Amino acid sequence: MAVETRIIGPELIAEAVALLKQGECVAFPTETVYGLGANALDAEAVAKIFTAKGRPADNPLIVHIYSIDQIAGLIGDCHPAAKTLMERFWPGPLSLVLPKSGRVPGIVSAGLDTVAIRMPDHDLALEILRRADLPVAAPSANLSGSPSPTRAEHVWEDLKGRIPLIVDGGPTGWGVESTVLDCTCLPFRILRPGGVTVEQLRRFAEIAIDPSVFQNGVSERPRSPGMKYRHYAPRAEVVLVLGDRVPEKINQLACSPEYAGRKLGVLAVSEHLRAYPGLTVFDLGPKQEPKTAAARLYNLLRAVDQHGLDIVFVEGFTEKEIGLTLMNRLRKAAGDRVIQS
Ligand code: AMP
Ligand code: MG
């Protein structure tokens, strides 16, 4: 059944707090992307998130908190190094997968015996969480499978008529989702790279990287069922191009019979904006700034669809620091369409 969706400014967050307390779901900004939150201790409220997003029931949610004191009721015993990471990186874009307590309903964790928890580094999000005084389960506030929302308008495009309220706090900072770190195995394991980098985490704990971060459809330890889904993808086909001769390769592909008659575009670094005559080109930012590219990526993928493009070629980045996060999202959006130049 369609509901009326309202967009409000930060001055009206009392309404968001009231809805959360009543067991409704509400979209709000965080420092990563917009989230769609509901009371994590109320299974019926959490079910509304899955329905609104069309999210598969076996893809677990991240629980958001405003104070480390809240985790006592949510988790069982956790490794001391996980506590160090909380103290060092919270609030921030790091979700820790920890042993779950019996208080967290099975729907939140998709039936797993673990729960992912994070403290967002965003004043408005923290204020909502503090005033609701609840742990809030919140995945990204997009339709399942489409790019995560980095602006309130993106949430509106995807979820209008499906949720009662969107809190508009302007564009999000990071523009990509949090790092998900499994702290229930040793060494701790990156399930999804995000704003907190592997290099930063390794200063405090031994960290492994799940192979699914680099390659779709493989995981040594399938702790995160959500990893198997196609993600972050626009309607247009994404083709990721790697190597040292990327503009030459993309121009060559664009002229090949395979792409004849299709509307083609490129997500290119600023240095290559003039390298693609005749193609629609979008600016990812300077080659040496993967952080800028990550912040722009989802907005540009949505723009690609608004331009009605059939195919978008994307220039690859070096896979270190935030470049690892960016390339993980590009590989997911591209599926198997990765080409070496
Ligand atoms: P989203 O909030 O839409 O960015 O998605 C949450 C991500 O966290 C998904 O990739 C989930 O698979 C992952 N996640 C959430 N809870 C767990 C958990 N208990 N174990 C492993 N991964 C999880
Ligand atoms: Mg998501």
Side-chain angles (χ1 to χ4, degrees), residues 1 3 8 43 72 74 95 116 158 165 175 212 221 279 284 303 311 315 337:
M1 203 181 67
V3 295
I8 59 169
L74 301 172
S95 300
D158 276 20
L165 197 70
S212 64
R221 195 180 147 87
L279 303 184
L284 282 168
I311 313 280
E315 298 187 349
R337 293 174 300 266

Side-chain angles (χ1 to χ4, degrees), residues 166-190:
I166 302 167
V167 181
D168 185 352
T172 58
W174 283 97
V176 283
E177 305 82 350
S178 60
T179 304
V180 178
L181 183 70
D182 187 350
C183 300
T184 65
C185 55
L186 287 174
F188 293 171
R189 177 172 288 259
I190 300 272

Side-chain angles (χ1 to χ4, degrees), residues 33 53 55 58-64 95 97-98 108-110 112-117 138-142 148 177-178 180 182 191-192 223-227 231-232:
V33 299
K53 282 182 57 97
R55 187 175 176 101
D58 64 353
N59 193 359
L61 308 181
I62 295 166
V63 176
H64 292 66
S95 300
V97 174
L98 299 164
V108 171
S109 55
L112 297 172
D113 54 8
T114 57
V115 59
I117 304 183
S140 51
N142 51 291
S148 293
E177 305 82 350
S178 60
V180 178
D182 187 350
L191 301 181
R192 176 178 76 184
R223 295 293 298 176
S224 184
M227 298 193 309
H231 260 315
Y232 321 116

Side-chain angles (χ1 to χ4, degrees), residues 53-241:
K53 282 182 57 97
R55 187 175 176 101
D58 64 353
N59 193 359
L61 308 181
I62 295 166
V63 176
H64 292 66
I65 58 175
Y66 66 89
S67 155
I68 290 195
D69 294 341
Q70 286 175 289
I71 64 166
L74 301 172
I75 65 166
D77 284 340
C78 91
H79 194 282
K83 297 223 164 93
T84 306
L85 297 181
M86 289 174 203
E87 283 158 18
R88 180 64 187 77
F89 293 102
W90 284 358
L94 177 65
S95 300
L96 302 178
V97 174
L98 299 164
K100 176 174 102 80
S101 86
R103 269 185 87 208
V104 180
I107 186 170
V108 171
S109 55
L112 297 172
D113 54 8
T114 57
V115 59
I117 304 183
R118 86 174 191 101
M119 188 187 294
D121 186 14
H122 190 283
D123 289 345
L124 202 52
L126 287 171
E127 184 65 16
I128 291 170
L129 294 170
R130 191 176 297 117
R131 283 166 61 175
D133 198 22
L134 294 167
V136 169
S140 51
N142 51 291
L143 281 175
S144 197
S146 73
S148 293
T150 57
R151 300 167 183 216
E153 306 92 89
H154 300 162
V155 184
W156 171 261
E157 277 163 28
D158 276 20
L159 299 181
K160 62 177 175 299
R162 293 171 163 260
I163 59 171
L165 197 70
I166 302 167
V167 181
D168 185 352
T172 58
W174 283 97
V176 283
E177 305 82 350
S178 60
T179 304
V180 178
L181 183 70
D182 187 350
C183 300
T184 65
C185 55
L186 287 174
F188 293 171
R189 177 172 288 259
I190 300 272
L191 301 181
R192 176 178 76 184
V196 171
T197 63
V198 179
E199 291 82 355
Q200 285 176 299
L201 291 168
R202 282 189 174 148
R203 286 166 36 209
F204 301 92
E206 202 188 328
I207 303 288
I209 306 178
D210 196 272
S212 64
V213 166
F214 303 103
Q215 200 184 337
N216 293 323
V218 292
S219 176
E220 276 169 13
R221 195 180 147 87
R223 295 293 298 176
S224 184
M227 298 193 309
K228 72 173 183 268
Y229 294 107
R230 180 169 184 258
H231 260 315
Y232 321 116
R235 283 189 299 274
E237 261 185 41
V238 177
V239 180
L240 177 58
V241 185

Side-chain angles (χ1 to χ4, degrees), residues 272-314:
H272 294 165
L273 291 183
R274 278 189 271 279
Y276 302 102
L279 303 184
T280 309
V281 184
F282 301 87
D283 185 3
L284 282 168
K287 190 172 174 53
Q288 298 310 325
E289 283 183 28
K291 192 175 173 190
T292 303
R296 292 182 183 180
L297 178 66
Y298 292 143
N299 193 38
L300 292 181
L301 290 181
R302 284 176 184 261
V304 160
D305 282 343
Q306 275 156 10
H307 278 72
L309 300 183
D310 300 311
I311 313 280
V312 64
F313 300 103
V314 188

